[in-house]
Amino acid sequence: MSATFYSLKSQWYPQSRLLKNKHGIEESEDASQAGVNEDSKGRIIYGDYLQLDKITTAQVLQSELQGNKIHDEHLFIVTHQAYELWFKQILFELDSVREIFVSGHVRDERNMLKVNTRIHRIVMILKLLVDQFAVLETMTALDFFDFRNYLIPASGFESLQFRLLENKIGVQENLRVPYNRRHYKDYITENDTETLLDAEQEPTLLKLVEEWLERTPGLEVDGFNFWERLEINIFDGLSVEEKKIEKMPESEEKEKLMGELVKQREHFMSLFDEKRHDHLVSKGERRLSYKALQGALMIYFYREEPRFQVPFQLLTSLIDMDSLLTKWRYNHVCIVHRMIGSKAGTGGSSGYHYLRSTVSDRYKVFVDLFNLATFLVPRDWVPKLNPNVHTFLYMAECCDSSYCSSEDSD
């Protein structure tokens, strides 16, 4: 063989150095085995750290206790336990975000990255939970029927963590669908009811985001005064459109366009009518305050500006979170319908029919953010900014005393 071959061989197949083990037998040294077994030094091991002895023994099959072990009950239990663990993580992230808002740390805009990261993490977990239904769907209706009676009267409706999640995000109590004509708290244990009541005294994510939006720079009447400028530009734009339509020859198309323009004008008149907004809030059709809605719309229109890019990402993530919770509810409805048809639920509810009634806008917390697209207008109608004058778009608020560095984050 050539010298070149041996040279290449030594690169790809380096010769191992021979060493003698403790028994005096020669062995080749292997770099992949050069580690040290730390567990032999009395340190915590994987199973103890994760407390796997508790987790992996928590699947108690009721069918087995009754002497009639049903295979798919194990999948049913594991799936629901996994949901509850992820609910716990979501609550953990949600509480940390709420604390940043409550403590005032959000006034230092450097903390918005942390808020965005944690809300986005919640979004990714919810995507996983929506997809997790596919695993449960590998069980047929007959498979579920085999052990369903062992579950009565337990019901997923009794999940404390899911109720906490709804409350902490901001689902309004007066918009909830009654459960068998009764309040949902009537189905929660006494100890858990106290936990729910404590959570209800805390500000919701919706309320905290609302207060944050009300402080959107550029809304100040004695400053840029975005809202007044926008109102003027929109109605000026509609007047220009009206004149264009009036110049058209009489036709069905002209009549149609004029009708649409009248609807548009009425639509925007309602947007700039604070009393009408407050009336819609009282009916539950809007959630945010009038000023918070202004802030959200301003962020949408100027989302490409440096100071509003991160806030826009947050609003987008809040919409994603609401969408995924709606999809989760819908998937839950579908699998219940698939498994029990129109039968009553194990907890005594109307089952599919009750769950179907919860898939609506009344459970969407950030419904106003979805509706912002209703008020979008041509870009040339949006009030123009002068970088030399309107410097607020390039100067973020920083308060060192409230900044949460990575070292002190919880």
Side-chain angles (χ1 to χ4, degrees):
M1 293 185 182
S2 67
T4 303
F5 176 83
Y6 281 113
S7 176
L8 289 172
K9 182 180 178 182
S10 64
Q11 292 177 32
W12 291 102
Y13 305 101
Q15 294 182 355
S16 300
R17 192 155 55 96
L18 293 178
L19 298 174
K20 287 186 178 181
N21 63 19
K22 62 182 180 180
H23 302 294
I25 302 173
E26 287 189 341
E27 292 180 345
S28 61
E29 183 181 27
D30 186 348
S32 69
Q33 301 300 313
V36 178
N37 289 325
E38 298 287 356
D39 59 341
S40 62
K41 298 184 178 182
R43 300 186 181 183
I44 190 168
I45 61 174
Y46 178 79
D48 292 342
Y49 177 72
L50 296 178
Q51 309 228 357
L52 294 180
D53 56 333
K54 296 179 182 178
I55 296 174
T56 58
T57 57
Q59 296 73 44
V60 180
L61 279 62
Q62 293 300 306
S63 60
E64 186 173 17
L65 293 178
Q66 300 296 323
N68 182 32
K69 183 178 179 180
I70 305 299
H71 179 87
D72 279 22
E73 187 182 0
H74 192 276
L75 172 67
F76 185 83
I77 292 173
V78 167
T79 303
H80 285 76
Q81 287 176 336
Y83 273 124
E84 291 294 338
L85 280 173
W86 282 122
F87 289 159
K88 183 172 184 178
Q89 185 64 36
I90 290 174
L91 289 170
F92 183 74
E93 302 295 346
L94 184 58
D95 284 343
S96 72
V97 168
R98 289 164 61 240
E99 177 57 29
I100 291 174
F101 278 100
V102 170
S103 64
H105 290 162
V106 74
R107 287 183 177 273
D108 189 311
E109 296 180 32
R110 290 172 293 182
N111 287 314
M112 289 307 298
L113 179 60
K114 187 177 294 183
V115 169
N116 266 4
T117 298
R118 293 177 184 178
I119 292 294
H120 179 65
R121 183 177 295 162
I122 291 174
V123 168
M124 298 309 293
I125 293 172
L126 287 172
K127 285 183 178 181
L128 179 66
L129 297 189
V130 168
D131 291 340
Q132 191 169 290
F133 279 101
V135 179
L136 206 52
E137 287 170 352
T138 62
M139 178 175 62
T140 67
L142 186 57
D143 294 330
F144 182 56
F145 181 80
D146 287 340
F147 66 88
R148 183 172 182 260
N149 284 341
Y150 296 115
L151 309 180
I152 298 173
S155 169
F157 187 84
E158 299 165 339
S159 171
L160 170 65
Q161 291 195 120
F162 191 72
R163 299 303 160 211
L164 286 172
L165 173 58
E166 290 179 324
N167 287 347
K168 292 186 177 191
I169 291 175
V171 172
Q172 295 184 5
E173 188 167 322
N174 63 318
L175 295 179
R176 286 183 177 276
V177 178
Y179 187 77
N180 291 348
R181 300 185 180 86
R182 294 170 64 186
H183 196 281
Y184 78 95
K185 290 177 189 171
D186 293 342
Y187 297 88
I188 304 296
T189 65
E190 187 174 344
N191 290 337
D192 289 347
T193 299
E194 187 175 341
T195 303
L196 279 173
L197 290 173
D198 289 342
E200 287 178 357
Q201 304 308 310
E202 302 168 0
T204 65
L205 181 63
L206 173 64
K207 182 63 177 176
L208 295 168
V209 168
E210 177 185 72
E211 293 172 353
W212 168 72
L213 285 171
E214 289 174 348
R215 298 195 301 270
T216 302
L219 294 181
E220 303 85 359
V221 176
D222 57 349
F224 180 60
N225 199 359
F226 162 74
W227 201 240
E228 183 177 307
R229 289 169 180 249
L230 180 67
E231 182 178 7
I232 293 170
N233 284 13
I234 286 178
F235 287 106
D236 283 351
L238 289 173
S239 296
V240 171
E241 291 297 314
E242 185 176 23
K243 290 176 182 177
K244 288 181 181 178
I245 297 172
E246 287 175 345
K247 291 180 181 179
M248 294 173 60
E250 296 298 326
S251 64
E252 288 185 7
E253 179 66 16
K254 178 180 179 179
E255 185 178 344
K256 178 182 176 183
L257 290 173
M258 191 60 76
E260 290 177 353
L261 185 69
V262 170
K263 289 180 181 178
Q264 267 192 302
R265 182 174 277 113
E266 291 175 351
H267 183 68
F268 282 110
M269 286 177 68
S270 71
L271 173 64
F272 294 103
D273 185 341
E274 187 172 358
K275 289 184 178 178
R276 177 167 175 74
H277 174 87
D278 292 341
H279 176 65
L280 292 173
V281 170
S282 68
K283 291 173 61 179
E285 293 181 24
R286 287 186 187 170
R287 310 285 198 275
L288 295 172
S289 69
Y290 190 56
K291 192 168 185 180
L293 182 66
Q294 296 173 24
L297 200 54
M298 185 173 185
I299 290 170
Y300 260 58
F301 280 132
Y302 299 107
R303 63 191 179 277
E304 295 169 355
E305 299 296 340
R307 196 172 183 185
F308 285 163
Q309 289 175 9
V310 172
F312 177 73
Q313 289 171 0
L314 175 59
L315 297 187
T316 301
S317 291
L318 293 173
I319 291 175
D320 290 340
M321 183 171 65
D322 240 348
S323 294
L324 288 163
L325 280 167
T326 301
K327 289 177 182 178
W328 188 91
R329 292 179 190 279
Y330 177 74
N331 281 6
H332 190 199
V333 170
C334 289
I335 197 166
V336 167
H337 200 194
R338 177 174 179 165
M339 293 296 172
I340 66 172
S342 298
K343 291 179 184 177
T346 52
S349 74
S350 58
Y352 162 71
H353 296 290
Y354 165 75
L355 291 173
R356 186 177 62 180
S357 68
T358 66
V359 184
S360 66
D361 283 355
R362 61 198 301 163
Y363 280 88
K364 274 184 184 171
V365 175
F366 296 98
V367 65
D368 293 331
L369 301 183
F370 287 83
N371 289 332
L372 287 180
T374 311
F375 307 116
L376 298 183
V377 295
R379 286 180 183 265
D380 58 347
W381 291 13
V382 178
K384 298 295 185 290
L385 292 164
N386 183 339
N388 297 320
V389 178
H390 307 120
T391 56
F392 66 86
L393 285 174
Y394 309 95
M395 297 173 63
E397 184 177 350
C398 298
C399 311
D400 289 336
S401 60
S402 67
Y403 178 57
C404 297
S405 66
S406 58
E407 288 78 15
D408 61 27
S409 62
D410 52 9

